[in-house]
Amino acid sequence: MNGGAVNLLEVDDLVKHFPIQEGAVLRRTVGQVRAVDGVSLTLAPGETLGLVGETGCGKSTLARCIAGLHPVTSGKVTFDGQDITNLSRSAMRPFRRDIQVMFQDPYGSLNPRRRVGSIIADPLVIHGVGTAKERRRAVAELMERVGLNPEHYNRFPAEFSGGQRQRIGVARALALKPRLIICDEPVSALDVSIQAQILNLLKDLQDDFGLTYLFIAHDLSVVRHVSDRIAVMYLGRVAELAEADELYDHPRHPYSDALLSATAVADPDVADRRGRVVLTGDVPSPIDPPSGCRFHPRCPRAQEVCSVREPVLEGAAHLTACHFPIGPGEGAPR
Ligand code: SF4
C-alpha cells in the first residue's frame, strides 16, 4: 500500500478500442469500435462513484479495463498510487485481491452445477488463502454477513431466489476483503423491492469494511442513494460528473437532464408536474461517432458549433462537457 495516495483509483484518459477485422485467412482491420474514448475519473477511499449511461455507452468496458480484464488501448489506471495499466496476469495477481467485480446477472454468473459454498470459496482457493477448514468457516461467516443461512452451504444456485443469488455474488466479491468493488449493474435484473434490499446491504458493508465502490447502472434512480458522486457517460465519454445531489438537482448536460426526466418518480404529484425530455433518434454507433459533440444529433439544445467542435469536460467540482450547459431554472421541471 502506498500511504501517500490520496485517491484509491485514478483513471487517466483511458481509451479502449476494439478492432473490427475482415477476411477469413488474411485478417485485416477495417475499423474500430470506440467503446471508451478518453475517460478520466478518480475514486477516493470509501467513496462510491456512480457510473451511468445507456446500454452501449462503454461503462462496462471501462469497468473491465479498470479491473484488468481488458487490455487498454491507451491511458493509465493507477490503484493506490501504483500503475496497474496492462499488467501481465502474474503482475496483476496481488491487485486482484484488492479489486473485485460483481456482475449484473445473478443467474448467469453462478455455475448452476456447483454448490454455493464452493462458489463463494473460489477466490480463497484461487489465491491460496487458508486451509479447507478455515475457508469453510470463512464462507459460513460471509454467508451470514450477507443475509444467507450458512446451513445452505451445500445448496445449488437454482435453490435460491434472485435476490439471494445476488447476495451469493456479494459474498464471493467480499471473500478476499477487497478495497475496491466494481459493481456492474448489480441490481438491474432484480425486482424493485429486492433492489432496495441489495442496495442497503451494499451500503452497510461499505460502512463496516470501508469499501470503495464503482457502481454501474443504466438507471439514474438506482445510483442516487448509494453514490457520493455520479459520472454520466455517453458514447465512450464522460458527459457530466458531479456530487450526486448536485447532479440530480441541477443537471447541466442535456443528456443528464433527459435521463433524469425519464426517471420514475414515486410521488404522483411530482410526476405530474415534471416535464419530460424525449430523446429523438437512436444512439449513434461507437464505430463512427458523430463529429463535434457526440450527443448533437439527439440534443434539444444543439447549435451549429456543436456538430463541429467537441466540448471539453470542464469545471471545478461540477464538470460538464457541453458548449451550452443548462443554467439555473432551465431544463426539465423537477
Ligand atoms: Fe447539446 Fe451542444 Fe451541449 Fe452537445 S455541446 S450537449 S449538442 S448543447
Side-chain angles (χ1 to χ4, degrees):
M1 169 168 173
N2 177 357
V6 176
N7 291 312
L8 184 64
L9 179 76
E10 292 182 3
V11 176
D12 187 17
D13 201 17
L14 191 141
V15 172
K16 176 61 185 176
H17 292 173
F18 294 97
I20 304 165
Q21 297 191 313
E22 270 185 10
V25 183
L26 291 173
R27 310 277 295 162
R28 62 192 179 94
T29 300
V30 295
Q32 303 281 342
V33 177
R34 300 157 69 128
V36 180
D37 221 4
V39 168
S40 299
L41 47 85
T42 58
L43 254 170
E47 185 185 28
T48 298
L49 177 69
L51 187 60
V52 179
E54 291 165 289
T55 301
C57 72
K59 55 193 189 300
S60 291
T61 301
L62 174 64
R64 286 174 173 272
C65 289
I66 292 169
L69 301 174
H70 282 325
V72 311
T73 305
S74 65
K76 188 174 170 187
V77 181
T78 307
F79 181 80
D80 197 22
Q82 297 181 69
D83 186 350
I84 60 166
T85 322
N86 289 346
L87 290 183
S88 66
R89 262 176 103 91
S90 59
M92 188 67 192
R93 194 175 160 86
F95 296 101
R96 292 208 190 283
R97 291 185 67 146
D98 279 333
I99 306 173
Q100 290 288 308
V101 184
M102 214 178 112
F103 294 103
Q104 170 185 5
D105 182 2
Y107 302 90
S109 62
L110 303 177
N111 184 334
R113 288 186 291 279
R114 297 188 56 213
R115 299 178 193 279
V116 298
S118 69
I119 291 174
I120 296 170
D122 265 349
L124 300 171
V125 174
I126 291 166
H127 287 267
V129 177
T131 62
K133 198 172 161 190
E134 287 166 342
R135 288 197 288 267
R136 183 152 182 136
R137 195 178 330 119
V139 169
E141 285 172 11
L142 281 166
M143 290 179 74
E144 196 156 10
R145 185 62 194 83
V146 302
L148 294 167
N149 184 345
E151 290 173 13
H152 296 167
Y153 186 102
N154 283 318
R155 292 194 177 182
F156 292 96
E159 297 175 75
F160 293 84
S161 68
Q164 287 174 322
R165 287 183 225 197
Q166 197 52 290
R167 287 175 193 269
I168 295 167
V170 175
R172 183 171 57 179
L174 275 180
L176 291 168
K177 300 188 172 70
R179 299 168 67 198
L180 169 65
I181 299 185
I182 299 172
C183 308
D184 190 358
E185 306 233 19
V187 297
S188 299
L190 303 174
D191 289 347
V192 174
S193 59
I194 309 294
Q195 284 187 0
Q197 293 173 16
I198 298 296
L199 293 175
N200 288 337
L201 172 65
L202 290 170
K203 195 84 190 94
D204 288 347
L205 294 170
Q206 180 171 42
D207 294 341
D208 289 354
F209 298 111
L211 296 166
T212 303
Y213 290 138
L214 179 61
F215 195 103
I216 297 172
H218 60 265
D219 185 342
L220 268 164
S221 63
V222 167
V223 294
R224 175 168 197 174
H225 298 294
V226 295
S227 302
D228 298 299
R229 290 182 301 143
I230 293 175
V232 177
M233 271 188 84
Y234 187 78
L235 264 187
R237 287 184 181 268
V238 174
E240 185 162 13
L241 199 165
E243 299 267 337
D245 287 343
E246 165 70 7
L247 191 131
Y248 275 84
D249 295 339
H250 308 290
R252 291 192 194 151
H253 197 285
Y255 179 58
S256 310
D257 191 46
L259 286 183
L260 277 168
S261 81
T263 302
V265 178
D267 182 341
D269 290 338
V270 175
D272 283 349
R273 283 200 311 273
R274 176 180 279 189
R276 175 142 191 204
V277 180
V278 179
L279 292 177
T280 53
D282 295 326
V283 181
S285 166
I287 297 172
D288 186 20
S291 60
C293 173
R294 295 174 179 210
F295 187 55
H296 86 259
R298 304 172 78 198
C299 180
R301 292 170 75 87
Q303 299 188 31
E304 214 171 310
V305 65
C306 300
S307 62
V308 181
R309 192 155 54 85
E310 180 149 25
V312 176
L313 186 69
E314 56 191 0
H318 189 155
L319 293 96
T320 315
C322 177
H323 297 308
F324 307 102
I326 296 167
E330 298 180 311
R334 276 167 243 290

